[in-house]
Amino acid sequence: MPQTTPFAALRYNLDHVGNLSDVIAPPYDVIDPQLQDELYKRHPANVIRIILNRQEPGDDADQKYGRAAKFVEQWKSEGVLIREEKPAYYVYHQQFEHEGNVINRRGFMGRVRLQPFGEGNIYPHEETHPKAKVDRLKLTTATKQNNSQIFGLYPDPNNDVITLLDAATEGVTPMESTDHLGVKHILWPVTDESVAARVSELMEDRPMFVADGHHRYETACNYRDQVTQESGGISDDHPANFVMTMLVGMSDPGMIVLPTHRLLRGTPSFSSAEIIEKLEGTFECEVIDGGLDAADQVWATMESADDQSILGLYAVTDQKWLICKALEGAKTRIQELAASQSEDWRGLGVSLLHRLVIDDLLGCKGHPKPTYVHEVSELLDGLRGEGSQAESDSDEPYTLAALVMPAKLEHVEAISLLKERMPAKSTYFYPKLLSGLTFNPLA
């Protein structure tokens, strides 16, 4: 990994704002208009006013970025935000429930020296889109700080780094907050210079895999280039050469990856017999009795098998679920369809689902963007026309649904090292990191 260093964060002054839970927010890209409005009402200094300032009547296109910057300056002048006296690594634990168990994901925040993707040992695993990067660059330029952290994964089989940092938190008073999903977030600043030096040393030469925040990472690179061009060059230790990053060891017991299931519109409505016919020779299909509610049984079978080659498909016409297991014919066909991709990429459940089953065998290439959900219950709600339609802009009924296994961390590592990008929504790293715990000044 490139140089990892502690930093003197800009942080909320709890004597001023009171409860930290009132001023934090999830990442900007998972906030819908309803949650944005709720966060605006929660506290006048909620970080939403920085990371996702809303368009006001009479605004020009970019006025919201200038307004976000004014909040930063106002809150600094009023003492709402204060700068740390000493650089620190910030140990960051997230405690949450999953399948009836309490899980603690452990990591730490620091600064990571920027490298363009493809030129060093920082690896992306998802594609990025220009529109989002333009938006984030305008915000960074206006506020002159990292407002949300990147989420990076690094190999550490024995969890040496976080063990060292956890030990250093003894006697340090943490900051605690709880997000809108009930996840508890705990932060300890570790300012011991000897500990920081040892952490930086341990992190040398490790690769980093970007789990979340690809647009923000590329934005940080673009901002550095912009500052360099405008000033005629910057020093090696200029803060724009770094990006605020949450680093989590890939072997941490709390590091889980959740699935992202699919609901589709704009495709034909298939019967189970039609799906079996179209997948003949590539998948072995088993019809599961029980109608729509058999989804839980299908997913339980898939989870137990823990096999990327197994998909769950719902035939809307006769309301039957199928468990579909890839045969040798599927491997042959996707190799023809995705010859430029690696075997690791072609073996992913999401690759088999989209490139082979939906686009090719079912003939639905060019279908509208799916609605993505993470829980089987959400998928069932969607098929029944109930529940949240936050990611959907249509009230039309769904014509196809799919359960798919999530990619594992070893898939992320293997495919990233090959400098490939995984299909959209291959991974869902839960829980999301909070915005508002720390800010990293860039000037």
Side-chain angles (χ1 to χ4, degrees):
M1 186 181 292
Q3 182 184 7
T4 304
T5 71
F7 67 108
L10 188 68
R11 290 204 289 156
Y12 277 106
N13 180 355
L14 298 186
D15 290 337
H16 202 296
V17 300
N19 190 345
L20 186 61
S21 299
D22 291 336
V23 293
I24 48 85
Y28 78 99
D29 54 353
V30 299
I31 299 174
D32 61 22
Q34 179 180 345
L35 180 55
Q36 182 188 37
D37 187 57
E38 290 174 6
L39 293 170
Y40 257 81
K41 294 175 181 176
R42 184 167 299 170
H43 195 285
N46 189 283
V47 70
I48 190 67
R49 288 172 171 79
I50 299 175
I51 63 170
L52 195 63
N53 197 280
R54 63 187 175 192
Q55 200 82 6
E56 302 290 355
D59 276 359
D60 60 36
D62 293 344
Q63 203 158 335
K64 61 184 179 181
Y65 304 109
R67 191 160 48 244
K70 287 181 179 178
F71 278 120
V72 173
E73 293 307 312
Q74 176 186 337
W75 295 347
K76 286 195 293 186
S77 67
E78 294 175 349
V80 175
L81 294 174
I82 53 176
R83 186 76 181 268
E84 298 275 33
E85 295 181 359
K86 295 180 179 180
Y89 278 126
Y90 298 88
V91 176
Y92 181 7
H93 288 194
Q94 294 171 285
Q95 296 177 358
F96 58 101
E97 289 191 10
H98 176 61
E99 296 182 344
N101 299 311
V102 176
I103 296 176
N104 187 35
R105 187 171 72 189
R106 305 171 301 159
F108 70 99
M109 285 195 285
R111 295 190 313 166
V112 172
R113 183 176 290 277
L114 292 163
Q115 297 175 344
F117 288 149
E119 296 184 14
N121 58 352
I122 295 181
Y123 300 92
H125 82 277
E126 288 185 347
E127 296 290 348
T128 55
H129 306 286
K131 183 178 179 180
K133 287 184 284 189
V134 169
D135 166 63
R136 291 299 96 179
L137 182 58
K138 289 179 178 180
L139 179 63
T140 306
T141 301
T143 60
K144 295 182 173 57
Q145 62 183 23
N146 296 143
N147 296 297
S148 302
Q149 62 279 81
I150 310 304
F151 186 179
L153 305 173
Y154 64 95
D156 189 0
N158 298 317
N159 293 308
D160 293 329
V161 176
I162 194 61
T163 298
L164 173 64
L165 281 165
D166 273 349
T169 64
E170 186 175 350
V172 179
T173 302
M175 296 193 303
E176 299 185 6
S177 61
T178 302
D179 67 22
H180 67 298
L181 298 177
V183 178
K184 188 176 182 180
H185 303 258
I186 310 169
L187 196 74
W188 296 263
V190 175
T191 58
D192 187 304
E193 293 182 4
S194 62
V195 172
R198 180 59 179 153
V199 169
S200 298
E201 181 183 5
L202 287 170
M203 294 300 293
E204 288 180 3
D205 301 323
R206 299 177 193 251
M208 185 183 89
F209 304 95
V210 178
D212 204 359
H214 291 77
H215 293 98
R216 280 164 274 159
Y217 185 89
E218 291 191 9
T219 293
C221 292
N222 294 337
Y223 180 76
R224 176 200 57 193
D225 295 344
Q226 176 180 290
V227 171
T228 300
Q229 182 177 5
E230 291 174 351
S231 60
I234 59 176
S235 64
D236 191 57
D237 62 352
H238 191 286
N241 282 315
F242 299 83
V243 64
M244 182 172 66
T245 305
M246 165 69 158
L247 293 153
V248 178
M250 298 174 79
S251 299
D252 185 78
M255 192 61 236
I256 63 172
V257 187
L258 300 184
T260 304
H261 306 305
R262 273 70 170 161
L263 288 158
L264 285 87
R265 292 187 175 96
T267 71
S269 295
F270 300 99
S271 68
S272 56
E274 288 172 326
I275 292 176
I276 291 171
E277 180 182 0
K278 290 178 180 295
L279 271 58
E280 185 177 4
T282 55
F283 285 83
E284 180 182 11
C285 299
E286 176 188 1
V287 177
I288 306 300
D289 293 328
L292 179 58
D293 290 332
D296 289 317
Q297 179 186 343
V298 173
W299 180 238
T301 301
M302 292 173 64
E303 279 196 302
S304 177
D306 192 19
D307 187 342
Q308 290 285 314
S309 70
I310 299 178
L311 306 172
L313 298 178
Y314 182 65
V316 171
T317 299
D318 57 356
Q319 299 182 341
K320 291 183 178 180
W321 278 100
L322 299 97
I323 296 178
C324 307
K325 181 172 176 53
L327 302 172
E328 191 64 28
K331 183 177 180 180
T332 301
R333 181 57 181 155
I334 197 170
Q335 191 168 359
E336 296 170 355
L337 295 169
S340 63
Q341 302 289 349
S342 68
E343 186 175 349
D344 291 300
W345 189 96
R346 293 194 296 265
L348 290 174
V350 287
S351 300
L352 290 168
L353 174 65
H354 286 284
R355 186 66 68 91
L356 177 57
V357 174
I358 295 176
D359 289 357
D360 182 56
L361 301 177
L362 296 182
C364 300
K365 189 174 182 179
H367 61 79
K369 178 184 174 182
T371 295
Y372 300 109
V373 297
H374 306 295
E375 300 287 343
V376 175
S377 60
E378 294 177 291
L379 184 137
L380 294 177
D381 286 344
L383 289 169
R384 294 186 180 110
E386 304 169 355
S388 171
Q389 301 293 314
E391 293 192 62
S392 174
D393 57 4
S394 172
D395 292 327
E396 293 297 315
Y398 293 107
T399 50
L400 185 65
L403 298 169
V404 60
M405 293 295 294
K408 294 184 176 181
L409 292 177
E410 52 260 39
H411 299 132
V412 173
E413 181 175 9
I415 292 171
S416 297
L417 288 173
L418 292 169
K419 297 187 177 181
E420 292 182 295
R421 305 286 181 104
M422 299 171 80
K425 305 296 184 180
S426 297
T427 56
Y428 178 55
F429 296 102
Y430 181 82
K432 294 289 186 179
L433 305 177
L434 286 184
S435 296
L437 294 177
T438 58
F439 303 91
N440 178 39
L442 298 174

